[in-house]
Amino acid sequence: MKYKNPVVKGFYPDPSVCKVGDTYYLVCSSFQYFPGVPLFESRDLINWTQIGHCLTRESQVQLRRVNSSGGVFAPTIRHHDGRFYMTTTNDTTHQNFYVWTDDIRGEWSEPIFVDQGGIDPDLYFENGRAFFMSNGMDDEGSSGVVQCELDIETGAKRSPSRTIWQGTGGRYLESPHMYKIDGRYYLMAAEGGTEYGHMVVYARGDSLHGPFESYSANPVLTNRDLGGYELQGVGHGDLVEDGNGHWWMLHLGFRQIGRWLTYHHLGREVFLTPVTFGEDGWFTAGHDGITLTSFNTDRIPDTVVQQEKKVYTFGNTDWNLDWSYLRHPAAENYTLSVDRAVLRGTDVTLDAASSPTFIGLRQKDFDATIACEIELSGGEGEAGLTLYMDENHHYDLALRRGSAGCEAILRLNVGDIKSVERRVALNETRTTKLRIRSGHERYHFFLVQGDREIAMGTAQTRYLSSEVAGGFTGVLIGLYAVGEGTESAFVEFECAYA
């Protein structure tokens, strides 16, 4: 069959995967968004359904005053002795920790902290023992992939932290994962930075603790030299075997907005690439070490059909799965139902590294039409749609009520430049419809009155890209309200992809 990449679209970076029985489970980074660490399942590796989050309580993760792209970094999911474990880093507090559950659809434990620094932690189990790895510095001051043995019940170290591999020389060594395959230990990681030079590298050895011999043809997977190719930034992968002797890599990558336009704003997404072991025990990945927009493979039966959801509404999304808050929300400011979202504003704006009244859905493709109707009531304030990259980079199409009356506005926020591009006075605000048309290179904003569209303006997508804004996230389509006493009801929301 032929499948298309990415297999999970939108801002779902740093994937990690494990297989239990006939089901695959996958987790991704969430940074400053809450709930933390989205959790997916699949039976065929190409159709993924979100079933929860690993971090659903404020007690599990500290996100208050966390800057954009801080907070929860690259997680790893593993299964051992009937229990699931997810380990991750809160990069803002500089703490590695893990949580566990015996019910993949239930609640996860309180965090168990590990006294080892670095980022991108990994757990490996063997013969009743647990080993922890991260990319950082060991107890002797040596940097690289650092390993220690853990008491899995308490998180206490049972051995010193020791550097076991220092990579192949590429910058920003990260994302270490350990596997035992056919009696050998394979240590896979990423280098080059999670940008256009990103790559997957690996080494192998006869001992869990090394020494490790690097694969002679590293990087095993990268799109770094493909100028003008849609898929870029390929790296940070995790291996999984499908039960039929075939190996796969789930990894991140991103789609740039145009062939020669090196910007991406949808975030880093999840890609699936076939892996093949040779007779010598070394493996290769993809098409000559490259990830493609689609793969023809006989590893997945032709009876499997890759599904793609094209329309997202209040009615066909789950507030607890598909939508995200900025940091820890004040629950009393949200009343969410199957066909309506009532948001109560505060004095916290979208420009603050705090928790404004905001709930967002990841933008999953370039071409889309986004629309909703808003009823604005209460005191002075505003409510509307935002295309949100971070507190310094977002485009807001909103209704605003002040002492002089009510108006519709388009505000563009790019770094220190915050400009209201257009204002349209409104006679009444009982129900007003807003619409955004999205393309690869531009967003187009409209106020809708009856059958008439009033153009509010346009804005380039590149100014919401990681190349301009920095950071590791992607655009969320947000509903928001600002202003003490302001209450807004969002009705008939729809995001339809072409």
Side-chain angles (χ1 to χ4, degrees):
M1 65 91 66
K2 182 178 182 179
Y3 71 87
K4 296 179 181 179
N5 270 318
V7 293
V8 182
K9 290 185 172 183
F11 156 55
Y12 292 104
D14 308 321
S16 175
V17 62
C18 71
K19 184 173 184 286
V20 181
D22 61 356
T23 305
Y24 305 91
Y25 298 97
L26 181 141
V27 291
C28 299
S29 296
S30 52
F31 297 95
Q32 75 270 28
Y33 291 99
F34 186 81
V37 187
L39 171 65
F40 297 81
E41 72 172 13
S42 174
R43 294 292 180 87
D44 54 29
L45 288 169
I46 59 171
N47 293 299
W48 293 90
T49 301
Q50 190 170 352
I51 60 171
H53 293 83
C54 298
L55 305 175
T56 57
R57 304 184 301 278
E58 188 170 348
S59 61
Q60 292 173 305
V61 59
Q62 197 291 108
L63 293 178
R64 295 198 176 278
R65 300 291 177 182
V66 168
N67 287 330
S68 290
S69 294
V72 179
F73 274 33
T76 295
I77 187 169
R78 294 292 182 257
H79 184 262
H80 173 68
D81 199 21
R83 178 166 288 180
F84 290 91
Y85 296 86
M86 187 284 296
T87 182
T88 188
T89 304
N90 187 330
D91 190 61
T92 301
T93 62
H94 307 295
Q95 292 174 299
N96 285 312
F97 65 93
Y98 57 93
V99 292
W100 57 266
T101 185
D102 295 327
D103 177 6
I104 195 63
R105 284 177 167 76
E107 288 290 305
W108 292 67
S109 72
E110 289 298 297
I112 300 172
F113 294 95
V114 180
D115 186 21
Q116 179 169 294
I119 60 171
D120 300 4
D122 180 69
L123 278 172
Y124 176 80
F125 297 91
E126 182 173 282
N127 297 328
R129 300 165 70 189
F131 298 88
F132 182 87
M133 291 195 310
S134 58
N135 175 57
M137 190 168 292
D138 71 10
D139 293 345
E140 303 299 322
S142 177
S143 63
V145 176
V146 178
Q147 179 193 79
C148 70
E149 185 178 353
L150 284 186
D151 180 334
I152 197 61
E153 296 298 323
T154 67
K157 288 168 58 173
R158 287 182 167 173
S159 72
S161 297
R162 186 175 69 87
T163 294
I164 59 173
W165 192 51
Q166 294 183 302
T168 69
R171 67 174 184 166
Y172 304 141
L173 177 66
E174 59 184 294
S175 175
H177 291 302
M178 183 76 76
Y179 317 90
K180 189 174 186 180
I181 304 170
D182 292 335
R184 290 192 177 103
Y185 295 90
Y186 290 78
L187 178 53
M188 192 169 76
E191 293 177 345
T194 186
E195 303 145 5
Y196 287 84
H198 214 24
M199 53 185 168
V200 178
V201 297
Y202 77 98
R204 74 180 189 191
D206 295 324
S207 167
L208 174 65
H209 312 297
F212 292 94
E213 176 189 0
S214 295
Y215 175 49
S216 62
N218 273 324
V220 67
L221 187 70
T222 186
N223 285 23
R224 65 182 180 180
D225 296 324
L226 301 180
Y229 188 59
E230 179 184 7
L231 304 186
Q232 298 288 343
V234 168
H236 199 117
D238 200 1
L239 294 178
V240 67
E241 195 263 334
D242 64 9
N244 296 311
H246 302 130
W247 285 85
W248 302 84
M249 190 188 301
L250 276 299
H251 59 87
L252 66 76
F254 57 77
R255 293 175 285 167
Q256 61 185 38
I257 65 175
R259 185 176 182 186
W260 305 114
L261 296 171
T262 53
Y263 303 91
H264 74 284
H265 63 285
L266 300 183
R268 298 169 300 156
E269 306 174 288
V270 180
F271 293 78
L272 175 69
T273 296
V275 168
T276 303
F277 278 82
E279 293 183 0
D280 57 2
W282 297 102
F283 65 83
T284 58
H287 176 73
D288 296 330
I290 294 168
T291 294
L292 304 178
T293 56
S294 63
F295 281 98
N296 280 297
T297 179
D298 59 2
R299 299 182 180 190
I300 301 174
D302 290 335
T303 53
V304 175
V305 177
Q306 189 171 20
Q307 307 289 336
E308 185 172 2
K309 187 174 180 177
K310 289 290 189 179
V311 179
Y312 293 78
T313 67
F314 288 156
N316 71 7
T317 56
D318 187 320
W319 292 112
N320 296 316
L321 296 180
D322 302 288
W323 297 78
S324 296
Y325 303 96
L326 276 165
R327 306 169 186 91
H328 295 300
E332 64 271 17
N333 293 329
Y334 302 84
T335 303
L336 308 173
S337 62
V338 70
D339 59 358
R340 190 179 182 90
V342 178
L343 273 57
R344 298 168 188 87
T346 70
D347 60 357
V348 180
T349 73
L350 296 176
D351 298 338
S354 185
S355 189
T357 302
F358 164 100
I359 189 165
L361 188 72
R362 288 159 172 83
Q363 183 176 350
K364 295 179 182 295
D365 238 326
F366 297 109
D367 298 321
T369 299
I370 306 151
C372 75
E373 292 188 7
I374 305 177
E375 299 170 0
L376 182 63
S377 61
E380 296 184 4
E382 72 177 55
L385 291 171
T386 181
L387 300 169
Y388 185 92
M389 182 62 165
D390 63 27
E391 54 263 26
N392 296 310
H393 300 83
H394 51 95
Y395 300 155
D396 312 326
L397 181 62
L399 307 182
R400 183 165 67 180
R401 176 184 284 113
S403 58
C406 191
E407 61 184 357
I409 64 166
L410 171 63
R411 183 194 300 109
L412 307 183
N413 303 267
V414 181
D416 293 328
I417 302 171
K418 303 180 188 303
S419 172
V420 176
E421 295 292 289
R422 189 171 184 197
R423 297 179 172 88
V424 175
L426 299 174
N427 294 326
E428 56 88 20
T429 59
R430 188 169 186 82
T431 302
T432 303
K433 190 168 188 175
L434 305 177
R435 181 176 292 150
I436 302 172
R437 290 196 178 93
S438 171
H440 283 63
E441 297 181 40
R442 281 192 176 272
Y443 293 108
H444 301 262
F445 302 88
F446 302 91
L447 171 65
V448 182
Q449 293 186 331
D451 295 330
R452 185 167 68 103
E453 281 188 340
I454 299 173
M456 297 293 289
T458 71
Q460 295 183 60
T461 60
R462 72 174 66 189
Y463 295 116
L464 299 186
S465 70
S466 293
E467 288 74 19
V468 172
F472 308 119
T473 61
V475 169
L476 268 69
I477 301 161
L479 317 176
Y480 78 98
V482 176
E484 291 285 356
T486 298
E487 183 171 285
S488 56
F490 294 79
V491 295
E492 295 187 19
F493 172 87
E494 180 180 280
C495 176
Y497 292 102

